[in-house]
């Protein structure tokens, strides 16, 4: 009998193994949360100055390896912690090159501050000498930057700017003296500028390396926000194991005072500091400064508080006189990300604008006179990738032909357009500094990441990453299928979506539905890429839930990106209203499908998507039986000035808009089971949003659940946190749908 049992077990195991090879393994939540299906990528590609080479760190973070753009092969090891002279550290976190390519700044002991900012102990590495030296002995530094001649480095410490001169035995001097926490900041942005204008450095050198320019932030009048910190584990604050602590920083909420900003230049030889005269509104913004290739000429970008007027000034950093050379205006708002697409050349600069209804590439001379509109049509240029002066050729990324896809293009001197990427889907390119070659990252809804090396004619030279190992792994599983769809709402608007059908899908069954969405202005979740859903992994939590018998749907409603300014900006001054209507319309459309159970439709989202979850569940005749709102904004008066006012103006100007866009105004209409999730140390969308909304739910006698994560920021991660979070979501939807 024992032998028979053993034989039976062996047969079962053999059968299970055979079945697994034919794709019948079932997805496990632990595999999803651990990143088991995460595609291989190439991280940290750094094109080397004036060359067709690029560099990368190895996975162990012990080496910087030089590769050829022509072959994709490793050429040499530029830096190795084990062989560099006087190297005292065993690993490093990041690095950057000097403009002449002879030196590097290497960051160690990195400590994050906010989304983009961090402090680190930096070292100077001279490649030919194989020698590493501390940048400074005075403590960790922020945003170190080389001068164009590669002989100086400026950085920020404790809100002040410092300068290191490499030709003078790395002598260090202090440029500013008035830096003070929560008061005066020199050379780095305050919290709201960093978060909403997307940068962490406000220092720039002149082209002759004789001047420094920087933005000063006076946040004295900005009100402070505080949140508690506990001992915890991931992250852990040992100082607060017994008594909780508090973190306090300046956070301007909609309608409140911002930091006052000013631009200054510092003459390195004379050590004279001057304030640049910029005709900016008292409550206006300076989201970037940048020296142009012309000596002394400083480009200063300003936005009015409504953010519908972008001005480009060229200032003489010595005389301090500035001149307006370009203005772009919109009836609604200017998207600030276009500023980073402005690249200055000796006699010209690039510019992205929606002035004709779609975001296109424009070419100006250095005096601000339009030379030509490079692209035009009903599509969007997503990124300007470079201009080759020798051939007068422009390189860019756009969604021409399909708003769900992107491709890499070039337009030559005769206006001949060439598509440089063959595969349909999402394409992202990194060009060599000579623009002769590029590395392309491609994926699609059904194909994981592939990375190829290409020349500037579009010819594929080599495949660097094919993810065949992941494909073999996926072949062992009985995976749900993903597909695109579209439908037209009762208002006549066509909306795009993707759908993940349950494993072993049958049109003869009726399935519960989970709608995932983000819905924020200009965002796109319905795109032809591998990484879809709330965790951006392709085979993620949404795929797992489809394997558990749920139909997963995502639809980009009005206000989202990729389809021109009219579609994107129609939610202006009334956020959340049209977006919620479109999520309800999505559910109503799904109800017409024979395989959808209309009594079991749920919705979830994170951040803006969490806000939209609540707004949709609180719409009149809401069809949603259950929803999860992770880190939601609940009222735009709680959110920051730059983001909130860009789309809503101030509460004082737009009282009615703020009222109709608030989840509180709809609280009596809330239907279905609601789970609120929030990190208590969220510096972005404050826990206050969830607390105040939950109090109103209590007073309205509305039932809800809440999951709180101590010490967690907006990302809600660390240790077992993500697995715990998605376990809660799984159990909640299984119970209620």
């Amino acid at each position: 009998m024992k032998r028979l049992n053993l034989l039976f077990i062996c047969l079962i195991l053999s059968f299970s193994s055979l079945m697994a090879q034919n794709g019948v393994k079932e997805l496990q939540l632990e595999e999803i949360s651990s990143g088991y299906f995460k595609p291989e990528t190439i991280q940290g590609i750094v094109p080397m100055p004036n060359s067709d080479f690029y560099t990368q760190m190895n996975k162990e973070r012990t080496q910087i390896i030089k590769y050829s753009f022509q072959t994709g092969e490793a050429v040499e090891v530029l830096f190795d912690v084990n062989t560099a002279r006087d190297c005292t550290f065993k690993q490093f976190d990041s690095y950057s090159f000097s403009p002449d390519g002879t030196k590097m700044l290497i960051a160690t002991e990195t400590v994050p501050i906010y989304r983009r900012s961090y402090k680190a102990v930096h070292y100077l590495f001279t490649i030919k000498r194989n020698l590493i030296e501390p940048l400074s002995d005075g403590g960790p530094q922020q945003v170190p930057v080389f001068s164009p001649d590669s002989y100086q480095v400026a950085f920020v410490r404790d809100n002040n700017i410092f300068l290191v001169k490499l030709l003078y035995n790395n002598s260090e001097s202090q440029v500013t003296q008035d830096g003070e926490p929560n008061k005066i900041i020199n050379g780095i942005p305050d919290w709201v500028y960093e978060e909403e204008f997307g940068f962490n450095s406000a220092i720039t050198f002149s082209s002759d390396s004789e001047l420094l320019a920087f933005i000063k932030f006076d946040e004295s009048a900005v009100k402070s926000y505080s949140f508690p910190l506990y001992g915890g584990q991931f992250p852990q604050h040992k100082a607060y194991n017994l008594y909780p602590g508090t973190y306090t920083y300046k956070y301007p909420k909609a309608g409140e005072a911002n930091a006052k900003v000013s631009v200054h230049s510092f003459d390195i030889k004379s050590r004279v500091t001057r304030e640049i005269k910029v005709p900016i509104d008292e409550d206006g913004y300076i989201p970037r400064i940048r020296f142009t290739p012309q000596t002394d000429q400083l480009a200063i970008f300003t936005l009015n508080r409504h953010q519908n007027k972008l001005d480009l000034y060229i200032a003489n950093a010595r005389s301090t006189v500035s001149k307006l050379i370009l203005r772009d205006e919109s009836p609604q708002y200017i998207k600030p990300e276009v500023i980073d697409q402005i690249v200055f050349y000796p006699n010209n600069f690039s510019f992205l604008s929606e002035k004709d209804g779609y975001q296109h590439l424009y070419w100006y001379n250095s005096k601000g006179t339009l030379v030509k509109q490079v692209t035009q049509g009903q599509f969007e240029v997503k990124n300007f990738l470079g201009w080759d002066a020798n051939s007068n050729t422009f390189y860019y990324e756009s969604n021409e032909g399909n708003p769900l896809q992107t491709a890499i293009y070039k337009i030559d001197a005769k206006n001949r357009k060439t598509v440089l990427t063959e595969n349909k889907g999402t394409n992202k390119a990194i060009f060599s500094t000579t623009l002769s070659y590029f590395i392309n990252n491609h994926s699609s809804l059904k194909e994981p990441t592939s990375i190829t090396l290409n020349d500037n004619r579009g010819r594929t030279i080599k495949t660097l990453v094919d993810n065949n190992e992941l494909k073999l792994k996926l072949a062992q599983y009985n995976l749900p299928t993903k597909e695109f769809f579209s439908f037209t709402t009762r208002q006549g608007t066509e909306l795009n979506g993707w759908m993940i059908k349950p494993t072993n899908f049958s049109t003869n069954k009726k399935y519960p539905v989970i709608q995932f969405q983000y819905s924020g202005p200009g965002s796109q979740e319905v795109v032809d890429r591998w990484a879809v859903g709330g965790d951006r992994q392709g085979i993620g939590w949404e795929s797992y839930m489809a394997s558990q018998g749920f139909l997963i749907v995502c639809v980009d409603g009005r206000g989202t990106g990729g389809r021109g300014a009219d579609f994107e900006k129609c939610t202006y001054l009334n956020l959340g209203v049209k977006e919620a209507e479109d999520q309800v319309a999505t559910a109503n459309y799904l109800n017409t499908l024979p395989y959808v159970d209309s009594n079991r439709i749920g919705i979830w989202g994170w951040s803006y998507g969490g806000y939209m979850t609540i707004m949709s569940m609180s719409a009149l005749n809401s069809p949603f039986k259950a929803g999860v709102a992770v880190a939601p904004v609940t009222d735009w008066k709680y959110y920051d000035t730059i983001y909130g006012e860009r789309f809503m103006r101030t509460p004082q100007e737009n009282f009615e808009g703020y009222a109709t866009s608030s989840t509180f105004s709809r609280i009596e209409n809330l239907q279905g089971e609601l789970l609120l999730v929030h990190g208590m140390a969220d510096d972005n969308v404050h826990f206050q949003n969830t607390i105040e909304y939950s109090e109103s739910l209590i007073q309205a006698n509305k039932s809800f659940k809440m999951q709180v994560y101590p010490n967690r920021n907006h990302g809600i991660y660390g240790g077992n946190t993500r697995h715990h979070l998605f376990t809660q979501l799984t159990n909640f939807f299984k119970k209620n749908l």
Side-chain angles (χ1 to χ4, degrees):
M1 181 65 70
K2 288 181 180 178
R3 287 181 181 176
L4 286 173
N5 285 340
L6 182 61
L7 179 62
F8 179 73
I9 290 170
C10 289
L11 287 171
I12 290 295
L13 290 174
S14 298
F15 178 74
S16 299
S17 176
L18 180 64
M19 292 293 284
Q21 292 173 9
N22 287 282
V24 294
K25 271 189 178 181
E26 296 298 329
L27 291 171
Q28 303 298 316
L29 185 56
E30 291 81 1
E31 295 171 328
I32 303 298
S33 58
S34 68
Y36 180 68
F37 297 109
K38 194 172 183 179
E40 179 187 354
T41 60
I42 299 179
Q43 299 289 344
I45 295 172
V46 180
M48 294 185 71
N50 308 310
S51 75
D52 286 324
F53 297 96
Y54 64 94
T55 60
Q56 280 182 272
M57 290 192 299
N58 63 351
K59 292 180 180 179
E60 296 74 25
R61 296 188 291 122
T62 60
Q63 294 180 331
I64 298 172
I65 304 170
K66 179 179 177 181
Y67 293 85
S68 168
F69 262 109
Q70 293 176 298
T71 65
E73 298 293 331
V75 176
E76 63 177 311
V77 176
L78 293 180
F79 172 75
D80 190 323
V81 297
N82 297 308
T83 59
R85 293 165 53 201
D86 298 337
C87 185
T88 58
F89 51 88
K90 298 299 181 184
Q91 284 184 322
F92 60 98
D93 304 316
S94 61
Y95 65 97
S96 60
F97 279 97
S98 62
D100 65 4
T102 65
K103 306 176 187 70
M104 285 187 274
L105 281 167
I106 296 177
T108 68
E109 303 177 46
T110 301
V111 178
I113 302 174
Y114 300 121
R115 189 188 295 266
R116 296 170 180 84
S117 55
Y118 61 89
K119 295 180 181 180
V121 177
H122 290 86
Y123 292 84
L124 280 164
F125 178 66
T126 306
I127 296 174
K128 281 188 176 181
R129 297 175 64 196
N130 194 34
L131 177 66
I132 196 148
E133 313 165 80
L135 174 62
S136 171
D137 294 324
Q141 310 88 37
Q142 288 181 251
V143 297
V145 58
F146 278 105
S147 59
D149 64 8
S150 304
Y151 292 129
Q152 300 173 92
V153 176
F155 66 84
V156 173
R157 180 193 294 124
D158 300 328
N159 289 11
N160 280 312
I161 299 172
F162 294 78
L163 184 65
V164 175
K165 295 184 177 181
L166 308 186
L167 290 179
Y168 292 86
N169 199 28
N170 297 352
S171 64
E172 180 179 318
S173 61
Q174 189 165 338
V175 174
T176 63
Q177 307 289 333
D178 58 346
E180 186 178 335
N182 288 329
K183 189 175 181 181
I184 302 294
I185 311 172
N186 293 293
I188 53 175
D190 66 356
W191 183 92
V192 72
Y193 267 70
E194 176 184 332
E195 175 66 25
E196 305 301 358
F197 287 143
F199 70 118
N200 67 357
S201 176
I203 311 175
T204 179
F205 276 97
S206 61
S207 60
D208 60 6
S209 303
E210 294 184 0
L211 296 167
L212 264 180
F214 59 94
I215 306 176
K216 183 189 295 288
F217 296 80
D218 181 350
E219 55 180 2
S220 304
V222 180
K223 293 179 181 178
S224 296
Y225 185 85
S226 300
F227 52 78
L229 294 174
Y230 301 90
Q233 295 182 45
F234 297 94
Q236 185 178 45
H237 304 290
K238 292 183 179 179
Y240 306 138
N241 280 343
L242 192 57
Y243 290 92
T246 301
Y247 183 80
T248 300
Y249 68 118
K250 295 300 183 83
Y251 185 104
K253 292 182 183 285
E256 298 291 326
N258 278 310
K260 294 188 181 301
V261 289
S262 54
V263 180
H264 303 260
S265 66
F266 175 74
D267 190 308
I268 295 170
K269 288 183 179 179
S270 68
R271 299 194 61 80
V272 173
T273 301
R274 303 176 178 92
E275 182 173 348
I276 308 294
K277 298 171 185 176
V278 188
I280 182 177
D281 297 341
E282 186 178 352
D283 57 356
Y285 299 108
I286 303 177
R288 293 289 192 283
I289 59 171
R290 197 181 308 150
F291 270 108
T292 73
Q294 288 81 21
T295 303
D296 298 349
Q297 287 197 4
L298 178 67
I300 302 173
F301 300 91
T302 71
L303 279 167
N304 59 335
R305 184 146 181 174
H306 285 165
Q307 300 173 67
N308 62 356
K309 183 174 67 176
L310 172 65
D311 286 342
L312 169 57
Y313 291 91
I314 296 296
N316 185 298
R318 295 185 188 276
S319 71
T320 75
V321 176
S322 60
K323 179 183 178 182
L324 177 67
I325 68 163
L326 183 65
R327 172 172 289 172
D328 196 21
E329 294 186 86
S330 166
Q332 299 88 15
Y333 53 87
I334 302 290
K335 295 189 286 189
E337 52 265 33
V338 302
I339 297 172
D340 284 332
Q341 304 294 324
I342 299 171
V343 181
F344 292 96
Y345 297 89
N347 299 305
N348 300 89
F349 63 88
S350 59
F351 195 80
L352 292 188
S353 173
E354 293 180 310
K355 64 178 70 178
D356 74 350
Y358 289 83
Q359 186 163 285
H360 282 296
L361 175 60
Y362 294 80
W363 191 238
Y364 288 83
N365 67 22
S366 57
K367 294 182 179 180
T369 301
L370 179 64
V371 177
K372 66 175 178 177
Q373 181 175 344
V374 180
T375 63
Q376 51 192 322
Q378 293 187 357
F379 62 89
E380 295 183 346
V381 173
K382 297 293 187 179
N383 288 292
F384 170 61
L385 300 174
W387 173 66
D388 184 348
N390 294 324
S391 62
N392 193 22
T393 300
F394 298 88
Y395 296 88
Y396 63 94
E397 170 199 333
S398 88
N399 66 358
E400 183 173 354
N402 189 332
L404 312 188
Q405 299 176 339
T406 58
I408 310 304
Y409 292 84
K410 71 175 180 181
I411 291 180
D412 65 17
K414 296 182 179 180
N415 286 325
R416 292 176 299 195
K417 183 188 299 183
T418 305
V419 60
L420 301 179
T421 47
E422 298 176 355
N423 295 326
K424 302 291 185 182
T426 297
N427 291 276
K428 297 286 182 182
I430 299 175
F431 273 81
S432 67
T433 50
T434 67
L435 298 176
S436 299
Y437 304 92
F438 68 96
I439 292 174
N440 187 57
N441 185 309
H442 168 267
S443 75
S444 68
L445 192 68
K446 298 182 179 181
E447 287 289 320
T449 302
S450 64
I451 301 175
T452 56
L453 184 64
N454 311 268
D455 63 25
N456 62 10
R457 293 175 295 172
R459 183 174 63 93
T460 299
I461 299 170
K462 184 178 182 179
T463 298
L464 303 177
V465 172
D466 57 20
N467 268 300
N468 283 336
E469 189 174 323
L470 174 61
K471 292 175 185 176
L472 290 172
K473 187 186 294 183
L474 294 174
Q476 301 175 33
Y477 287 80
N478 187 13
L479 295 175
T481 58
K482 296 185 264 185
E483 59 191 53
F484 289 112
F485 71 97
S486 62
F487 72 98
T488 301
T489 67
R490 291 177 181 176
Q491 291 89 355
T493 305
E494 184 178 16
L495 300 179
N496 297 316
W498 53 252
M499 178 184 298
I500 305 179
K501 290 182 175 177
T503 307
N504 303 321
F505 173 77
S506 171
T507 55
N508 296 321
K509 293 183 179 180
K510 285 190 175 291
Y511 296 95
V513 176
I514 300 173
Q515 288 180 212
F516 164 74
Q517 44 67 52
Y518 179 75
S519 302
S523 66
Q524 273 190 277
E525 294 296 334
V526 182
V527 287
D528 195 2
R529 69 180 176 210
W530 176 248
V532 296
D535 54 359
R536 295 285 195 277
Q537 291 193 48
I539 303 298
W541 181 74
E542 281 79 10
S543 294
Y544 170 74
M545 292 303 285
S547 76
Q548 299 296 299
F550 290 84
L551 180 71
I552 311 297
V553 171
C554 178
V555 166
D556 279 342
R558 286 169 291 176
T560 57
R563 298 176 61 178
D566 288 345
F567 187 85
E568 179 174 332
K569 296 179 179 180
C570 70
T571 61
Y572 186 58
L573 300 181
N574 285 282
L575 288 183
V577 179
K578 290 184 173 69
E579 303 96 305
E581 289 176 0
D582 288 347
Q583 292 306 313
V584 171
T586 299
N588 291 336
Y589 163 73
L590 295 173
N591 284 338
T592 66
L593 303 178
Y595 46 83
V596 168
D597 187 337
S598 61
N599 295 315
R600 293 189 293 162
I601 298 180
I603 185 170
W604 91 282
W606 199 307
S607 195
Y608 199 102
Y611 161 67
M612 191 46 47
T613 293
I614 299 172
M615 291 291 283
S616 301
M617 292 179 69
S618 306
L620 290 174
N621 302 315
S622 168
F624 300 107
K625 185 180 180 183
V628 178
V630 182
V633 174
T634 57
D635 194 310
W636 291 104
K637 70 182 182 183
Y638 295 137
Y639 203 56
D640 71 60
T641 49
I642 294 177
Y643 187 91
E645 294 175 13
R646 181 183 304 149
F647 310 114
M648 295 286 289
R649 298 200 172 181
T650 66
Q652 295 88 337
E653 296 172 285
N654 185 22
F655 177 82
E656 289 187 3
Y658 273 79
T660 56
S661 296
S662 171
T663 63
F664 293 84
S665 67
R666 300 181 169 209
I667 210 156
E668 293 296 335
N669 296 329
L670 179 68
Q671 300 292 324
E673 296 296 321
L674 174 64
L675 172 62
L676 298 172
V677 181
H678 220 120
M680 293 183 67
D682 192 334
D683 62 278
N684 184 355
V685 180
H686 295 148
F687 186 40
Q688 174 189 25
N689 285 270
T690 287
I691 286 296
E692 295 290 359
Y693 182 68
S694 66
E695 171 65 8
S696 292
L697 289 174
I698 292 166
Q699 298 310 317
N701 201 33
K702 294 284 186 177
S703 177
F704 67 99
K705 306 295 183 199
M706 186 185 292
Q707 177 65 56
V708 175
Y709 290 96
N711 293 352
R712 299 318 192 280
N713 64 17
H714 197 56
I716 311 181
Y717 59 87
N720 189 55
T721 304
R722 274 300 175 93
H723 180 65
H724 184 275
L725 170 61
F726 282 110
T727 299
Q728 302 311 302
L729 267 63
T730 299
N731 294 340
F732 178 81
F733 280 123
K734 283 187 174 182
K735 177 182 178 181
N736 291 292
L737 297 182

